[in-house]
Amino acid sequence: MADESVEAPGRNRDKRENMDYRSKCAALKALVLDRELTFVMEAHNALSAKIAEECGFPAIWASGLSISASMGLADRNHASWTQVLDVSEFMADHVNVPILIDGDTGFGNYQNVIRLTRKLGQKGIAGLCLEDKVFPKLNSFLGESQALTPAEDFCSKLRAAKDAQLDGNFVVVARTEALVSGLGMNEALERAHKYLEAGADAILIHSKNSTSDEVVEFARLWESRCPLVVVPTKYYRTPASVFRSARISCVIWANQNLRSAISAMRRTSERIMRTESIMEVEDEIASLEEVFRLTGEMQAQEADRRYAT
Ligand code: SPV
Ligand code: MG
């Protein structure tokens, strides 16, 4: 009879993966509910997710803008939801911290949200952020007065996501674009109330102002009814102490890894082009050893030692 106390390689694999997923969801839920301010870092592939994790970020934002940009695509749902999901799966496989995915509008109606949410659970993604714009979306910082979906329709998506989640601690963040679209504070608050009622675990109040005044005012009027998330891309001068005093739960740094990669790659390519040599850049770029380390080469060599015949 097999000795049940000895765990054969591969045995209980599914159980372990489920446990891992459970703990990622629990970790993300705890971060969102915690009264301490949490910083969530953008990533657009497994490598940037790994770097963000190693730098100490407790959660990753799988940014729609950054993922589509890294594919050379506009942030207009030109990347399909399965393509975004594939990238996020590589990220989830590569890091131990939870991932909150930017689910845009949910890629359709509540039907699409149900399928998306189930797939996120299967792929190890701990949270989903949905925004109340219409499909296909346009980045919040483009154009004026973008149309919003009726609040009732968006609530259907939120209810569908909460009902479809595979883990009790899966986090659904409802993002309102009411301020971005110029609809005003009352509309933003009314929508947030409805979204909370529909089951959202947190509200992302988005703003494209160059100061944090309107999100701080929203937070004051919201009176901590549920955790608040902000994305200070445009009000980047705001110090963290302002978010702490406003009792914001999470700050998402939404695109800085992508933008720094663009600048670094351009600098390196320009220098190599100009000097017709890689000598000048060699000491300033990541070593090959670092690439091997970040991509699990040591673990692959360990597998060779154990299993190669
Ligand atoms: C993203 O990162 O894709 C976002 C945040 O949705 S923002 O681009 O700032 O609207
Ligand atoms: Mg986005």
Side-chain angles (χ1 to χ4, degrees):
M1 207 170 113
D3 179 356
E4 293 295 323
S5 64
V6 178
E7 197 170 282
R11 187 188 285 178
N12 286 335
R13 189 164 170 268
D14 289 346
K15 213 161 81 189
R16 267 205 306 272
E17 283 180 354
N18 285 341
M19 274 303 287
D20 285 346
Y21 181 54
R22 266 208 294 279
S23 36
K24 282 183 175 177
C25 290
L28 185 61
K29 187 62 152 293
L31 289 175
V32 169
L33 294 181
D34 190 7
R35 298 186 79 86
E36 285 291 304
L37 178 64
T38 297
F39 298 98
V40 179
M41 187 63 190
E42 167 261 324
H44 47 278
N45 54 27
L47 197 57
S48 49
K50 186 77 177 169
I51 290 168
E53 177 185 46
E54 289 187 351
C55 288
F57 286 98
I60 305 285
W61 169 246
S63 154
L65 169 69
S66 299
I67 291 174
S68 49
S70 65
M71 294 171 175
L73 298 176
D75 188 16
R76 290 172 173 262
N77 295 128
H78 286 184
S80 72
W81 73 273
T82 54
Q83 289 171 326
V84 173
L85 194 61
D86 280 348
V87 174
S88 305
E89 184 182 10
F90 276 107
M91 290 163 58
D93 285 347
H94 209 41
V95 297
N96 287 314
V97 292
I99 292 175
L100 173 64
I101 191 173
D102 177 2
D104 289 342
T105 63
F107 306 96
N109 70 4
Y110 52 86
Q111 295 284 357
N112 307 83
V113 169
I114 291 170
R115 180 141 175 83
L116 171 67
T117 307
R118 289 199 185 129
K119 281 287 158 197
L120 292 175
Q122 291 164 10
K123 306 286 186 183
I125 313 296
L128 166 65
C129 179
L130 293 172
E131 67 192 42
D132 55 4
K133 294 208 293 262
V134 292
F135 178 87
K137 59 73 60 73
L138 182 64
N139 186 270
S140 306
F141 304 131
L142 292 170
E144 293 301 322
S145 314
Q146 290 191 39
L148 298 198
T149 196
E152 289 63 34
D153 292 351
F154 191 64
C155 287
S156 291
K157 293 183 188 181
L158 296 172
R159 285 202 308 276
K162 288 311 290 178
D163 289 345
Q165 67 186 24
L166 297 190
D167 186 279
N169 285 320
F170 184 81
V171 172
V172 174
V173 177
R175 161 172 165 176
T176 181
E177 297 274 309
L179 298 179
V180 172
S181 294
L183 296 176
M185 192 60 74
N186 283 347
E187 178 74 16
L189 285 162
E190 269 171 35
R191 281 179 173 261
H193 279 288
K194 287 178 183 162
Y195 301 165
L196 176 60
E197 187 88 348
D201 298 298
I203 300 291
L204 191 161
I205 179 69
H206 206 15
S207 167
K208 60 179 181 182
N209 280 1
S210 58
T211 71
S212 59
D213 293 358
E214 66 178 5
V215 298
V216 168
E217 174 65 356
F218 180 94
R220 190 182 68 76
L221 297 167
W222 183 246
E223 294 177 330
S224 302
R225 285 185 168 79
C226 79
L228 290 182
V229 181
V230 296
V231 183
T233 302
K234 292 286 181 179
Y235 45 101
Y236 57 87
R237 290 189 183 85
T238 307
S241 55
V242 171
F243 300 124
R244 284 200 176 89
S245 333
R247 283 175 294 157
I248 301 292
S249 167
C250 296
V251 165
I252 296 177
W253 309 124
N255 48 50
Q256 288 70 24
N257 268 336
L258 173 88
R259 289 162 61 196
S260 66
I262 292 171
S263 306
M265 288 190 287
R266 184 172 295 284
R267 229 180 5 256
T268 301
S269 287
E270 276 172 358
R271 279 173 81 182
I272 295 174
M273 179 67 195
R274 183 167 38 78
T275 60
E276 299 182 331
S277 164
I278 51 176
M279 201 173 72
E280 264 193 26
V281 302
E282 179 63 21
D283 290 342
E284 289 176 23
I285 58 180
S287 65
L288 278 178
E289 287 68 32
E290 173 69 344
V291 176
F292 296 148
R293 188 190 68 76
L294 283 166
T295 52
E297 176 54 29
M298 308 324 152
Q299 291 83 339
Q301 288 179 13
E302 172 62 18
D304 276 344
R305 278 192 287 279
R306 286 168 76 96
Y307 304 121
T309 52

